[in-house]
């Protein structure tokens, strides 16, 4: 022991022999252990200064701690040779003393159940490794919860007994992020309490503006992991992708999403077919992987993905049409189209064609079926396709065709109930139909009767059309200006609602037209903003021009899966790569106090009063005949004014 005392005092003269012997006795009690410790230090004195991680016995590390507690200033507590952190070196790895965390990372292997890369806690009946989470989730391991009495996984043990995750006592604390006083846990990243809602919240980081999980900050100014602590050594990495900064040893949400999608779309070994690769990438690369995980967790979405993965045929619109049609399939189809896995298709037109085929097939009389087919397909659908060109069908266009076909079917049903046909129907019979109190779709039925006479399906029946002579209701122009002022200056309203509403009340644009505007319709200059609604651009005044600039810079749809990087629409919708629906846009405008039909009529009435029809048509994109009719209805007939001026006799002076 004298040799040990001499070595220690030579390293740190502040220690005397009694302090060294006292530290030796506290490090190990057994004489044999004291001798092994002394031999090790005498043989390698630098164990006390820089090479403590090479200690042959753990008692050397305890001896160093006791010497430092006794006042030694030259003795150094060893750092972990792997992470270089000064911490307890409780494990032996490759002949060196390492910390518990580094040993766990070295021993980590993929769990045979959940796939997370962690140090095994046990092994299953086949010898496969089990992580701690899967071990405690084994059917034999749950215990009766002291709180609810059910057999569940034990989250914590207290003197009164085990508790499950739901029942474990939590002290209500003020969350450091949202400020609510709710049951919280202490964040390992910040050491501050945070609630469960904030732990799972995905946000746009106020520091780097990336979309990630909130790790600190406030509710209005959240921070991601990189902005919470930019030191890479302070964070672990996802064991699967080795990219995501986190403290959990489990795979990150994006890697879990990739694993689950491969299991649904893959062929059993996780390989996804080439035609489904863009769709797989869209799901995995979703801006919010938590939303994608929630979507594929739904039974309908999971069943659809499994059916697509099992079907060896290429994914086409026709193969999807064989599946049960619902909102889940519609969303899946829109993602496939947005990612390029499917070509674009006019879904409203396809739905309308199916509805017409069903309506025609419901007629039992062959003559009625042939007549209705000719009217619906060769008259309305043909005209609709010619009008559409490369555009897609709007909600009002599809509704208009449905109303006309429904009116024709109702009239044919009334004729059959009256033991009549189109060929035997006379004018008195038609008058009796018109006088029927249950009569509906007057204008649409008149169009069908005129078509039937023109194509010789009926005799010379007369059902006159009602000429539009102007708006029937009162037009409140004062409300129009009040709405315009409110939309221009009320910052509490969303920018897209303000721009859409101003295009309606100031420029008399249809909801269907507004919803399909793209950024190409807008030209941003240094000192002005132009928008093309017809054939000639319109210069937007301030502050509307500023609102349009802001909308283009911040526009973002609700779709979180499969959204292309460059969306052309000025008003993106809920389906990826698609604009907002005209019906949905109308609902949004109604919620802020607008009445689209009445407000557009008031705008057209006011504009037609002061602007010639030709200019109105070019600037607003309305048909010239529509512009002329509105001008006459508003008593602003510029042609009559010009004729009147030409007939005036100049006054003599």
């Amino acid at each position: 022991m004298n040799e040990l005392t001499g070595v220690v005092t030579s390293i740190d003269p502040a220690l005397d022999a009694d302090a060294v012997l006292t530290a030796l006795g506290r490090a190990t009690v057994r004489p044999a252990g004291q001798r092994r410790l002394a031999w090790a230090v005498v043989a390698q004195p630098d164990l006390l200064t820089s090479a403590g991680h090479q200690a042959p016995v753990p008692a050397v590390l305890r001896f160093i701690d006791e010497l430092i507690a006794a006042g030694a200033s030259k003795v150094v507590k060893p750092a972990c040779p792997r992470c270089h952190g000064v911490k307890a070196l409780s494990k032996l790895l490759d002949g060196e003393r390492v910390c518990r965390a580094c040993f766990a990372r070295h021993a980590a292997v993929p769990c045979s159940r959940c796939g997370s890369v962690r140090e095994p806690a046990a092994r299953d009946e086949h010898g496969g490794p089990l992580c701690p989470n899967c071990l405690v989730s084994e059917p034999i391991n749950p215990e009766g919860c002291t709180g609810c009495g059910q057999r569940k996984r034990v989250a914590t043990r207290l003197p009164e007994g085990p508790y499950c995750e739901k029942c474990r006592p939590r002290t209500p604390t003020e969350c450091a992020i949202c400020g609510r006083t709710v049951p919280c846990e202490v964040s390992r990243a910040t050491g501050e309490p945070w609630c469960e809602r904030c732990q799972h919240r995905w946000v746009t980081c106020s520091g780097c503006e990336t979309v990630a999980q909130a790790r600190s900050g406030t509710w209005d100014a959240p921070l991601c992991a990189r902005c919470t602590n930019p030191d890479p050594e302070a964070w672990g990495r996802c064991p699967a992708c080795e990219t995501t900064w986190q403290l959990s040893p489990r795979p990150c949400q994006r890697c879990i999403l990739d694993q689950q999608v491969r299991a649904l779309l893959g062929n059993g070994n996780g390989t996804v077919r080439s035609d489904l690769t863009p769709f797989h990438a869209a799901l995995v690369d979703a801006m919010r992987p938590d939303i994608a995980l929630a979507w594929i967790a739904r039974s309908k979405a999971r069943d659809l993905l499994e059916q697509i993965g099992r079907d060896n045929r290429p994914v086409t619109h026709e193969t999807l049409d064989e599946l049960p049609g619902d909102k889940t399939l519609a969303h899946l189809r829109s993602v496939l189209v947005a990612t390029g896995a499917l070509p674009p298709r006019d879904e409203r037109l396809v739905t309308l064609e199916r509805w017409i085929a069903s309506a025609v097939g419901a007629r039992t009389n062959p003559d009625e079926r042939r007549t209705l087919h000719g009217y619906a397909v060769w008259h309305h659908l043909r005209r609709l396709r010619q009008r559409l060109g490369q555009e897609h069908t709007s909600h009002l266009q599809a509704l208009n065709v449905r109303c006309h076909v429904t009116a024709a079917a109702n009239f044919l049903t009334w004729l059959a109930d009256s033991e009549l046909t189109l060929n035997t129907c006379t004018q008195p019979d038609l008058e009796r139909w018109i006088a029927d109190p249950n009569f509906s779709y007057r204008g649409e039925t008149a169009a069908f009767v005129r078509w039937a006479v023109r194509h010789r399906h009926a005799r010379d029946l007369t059902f006159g059309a009602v000429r539009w002579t102007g708006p029937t209701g009162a037009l409140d122009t004062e409300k129009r200006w009040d709405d315009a002022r409110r939309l221009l200056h009320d910052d509490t309203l969303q920018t897209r609602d303000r721009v859409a509403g101003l295009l309606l009340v100031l420029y008399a644009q249809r909801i269907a037209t507004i919803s399909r505007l793209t950024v190409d319709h807008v030209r941003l200059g240094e000192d002005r903003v132009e928008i093309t609604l017809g054939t000639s651009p319109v210069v937007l005044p301030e502050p509307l021009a500023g609102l349009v600039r802001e909308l283009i810079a911040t526009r973002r749809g609700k779709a979180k899966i499969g959204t292309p990087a460059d969306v052309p629409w000025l008003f993106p919708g809920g389906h990826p790569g698609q604009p907002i629906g005209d019906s949905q846009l109308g609902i949004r405008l109604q919620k802020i106090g607008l009445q689209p039909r009445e407000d557009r009529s008031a705008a057209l009435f006011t504009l037609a009063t002061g602007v010639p029809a030709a200019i109105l048509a070019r600037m607003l994109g309305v048909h010239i005949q529509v512009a002329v009719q509105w001008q006459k209805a508003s008593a602003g007939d510029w042609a009559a004014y010009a004729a009147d001026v030409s007939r005036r006799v100049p006054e003599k002076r």
Side-chain angles (χ1 to χ4, degrees), residues 467-536:
R467 182 178 296 276
W468 185 80
T469 58
T472 56
L475 299 178
D476 192 349
T477 56
E478 290 299 326
K479 177 182 179 299
R480 172 177 177 251
W481 292 117
D482 291 340
D483 290 337
R485 282 188 289 268
R486 179 167 59 90
L487 293 171
L488 286 171
H489 303 292
D490 189 353
D491 295 334
T492 62
L493 301 176
Q494 295 190 26
T495 304
R496 59 176 177 175
D497 293 341
R498 297 170 68 183
V499 173
L502 289 168
L503 292 176
L504 170 69
V505 301
L506 294 182
Y507 297 97
Q509 293 300 295
R510 292 181 179 272
I511 297 297
T513 303
I514 297 174
S515 65
R516 299 196 69 84
L517 289 174
T518 67
V519 292
D520 293 334
H521 288 93
V522 181
R523 184 166 59 186
L524 302 179
E526 295 183 0
D527 55 349
R528 68 178 187 175
V529 177
E530 296 179 352
I531 186 169
T532 303
L533 303 173
T535 58
S536 300

Side-chain angles (χ1 to χ4, degrees), residues 285-431:
D285 296 338
M287 183 182 299
R288 293 277 304 273
D290 58 326
I291 293 180
L293 281 170
W295 183 68
I296 66 174
R298 299 176 183 175
S299 58
K300 291 184 178 180
R302 183 173 290 272
D303 293 342
L304 278 176
L305 295 179
E306 287 179 344
Q307 292 183 47
I308 293 175
R310 290 195 302 263
D311 196 340
N312 294 325
R313 297 177 297 172
V315 178
T316 62
H317 285 292
E318 289 70 23
T319 57
L320 293 183
D321 291 340
E322 298 174 3
L323 302 175
D326 55 11
K327 291 183 178 180
T328 304
L329 179 61
H331 181 70
L332 174 63
R333 190 192 301 271
S334 65
V335 174
L336 290 170
V337 171
T339 56
L342 284 179
R345 189 176 77 166
D346 190 344
E347 295 300 325
R348 276 203 182 102
L349 184 59
V350 173
T351 303
L352 180 61
E353 290 173 344
R354 292 175 184 166
W355 180 85
I356 288 177
S358 176
V360 172
R363 312 304 302 184
T364 57
N365 187 292
D367 294 334
E368 294 180 0
R369 189 184 305 118
R370 182 170 57 254
T371 301
L372 190 59
H373 179 270
Y375 181 65
V377 176
W378 294 107
H379 180 63
H380 282 291
L381 278 184
R382 181 177 60 85
R383 293 177 60 188
L384 178 60
R385 291 194 183 96
Q386 291 175 349
R387 183 177 301 173
L388 289 174
Q390 299 298 323
E391 298 294 329
H392 284 192
T393 310
S394 68
H395 171 72
L396 291 180
Q397 288 173 325
L399 181 61
N400 178 62
V401 175
R402 284 175 179 259
C403 291
H404 278 83
V405 176
T406 301
N410 290 346
F411 186 63
L412 291 175
T413 301
W414 180 85
L415 290 175
D417 293 342
S418 303
E419 298 182 354
L420 295 171
T421 64
L422 275 174
N423 193 34
T424 60
C425 180
T426 62
Q427 187 66 32
D429 295 327
L430 181 59
E431 298 293 340

Side-chain angles (χ1 to χ4, degrees), residues 192-333:
E192 298 178 344
W194 63 338
C195 63
E196 185 175 359
R197 182 178 69 171
C198 293
Q199 294 176 28
H200 299 93
R201 183 183 176 217
W202 280 74
V203 296
T204 300
C205 176
S206 60
C208 60
E209 297 185 354
T210 59
V211 178
Q213 287 182 285
R215 287 294 174 258
S216 65
T218 63
W219 185 262
D220 297 327
L223 296 175
C224 65
R226 293 176 182 268
C227 295
T228 298
N229 188 348
D231 182 11
E233 300 297 330
W235 298 91
R237 298 295 186 273
C238 168
C241 64
E242 299 182 353
T243 301
T244 306
W245 290 24
Q246 60 182 33
L247 294 177
S248 172
R250 297 178 61 84
C252 63
Q253 287 188 334
R254 199 172 298 279
C255 292
I256 295 175
L257 175 62
D258 177 58
Q259 180 183 5
Q260 294 187 12
V261 173
R262 288 184 180 274
L264 294 173
L265 298 178
N267 53 10
N269 58 1
T271 304
V272 180
R273 300 199 315 264
S274 58
D275 58 325
L276 292 176
T277 301
F279 176 60
H280 166 258
L283 285 176
V284 175
D285 296 338
M287 183 182 299
R288 293 277 304 273
D290 58 326
I291 293 180
L293 281 170
W295 183 68
I296 66 174
R298 299 176 183 175
S299 58
K300 291 184 178 180
R302 183 173 290 272
D303 293 342
L304 278 176
L305 295 179
E306 287 179 344
Q307 292 183 47
I308 293 175
R310 290 195 302 263
D311 196 340
N312 294 325
R313 297 177 297 172
V315 178
T316 62
H317 285 292
E318 289 70 23
T319 57
L320 293 183
D321 291 340
E322 298 174 3
L323 302 175
D326 55 11
K327 291 183 178 180
T328 304
L329 179 61
H331 181 70
L332 174 63
R333 190 192 301 271

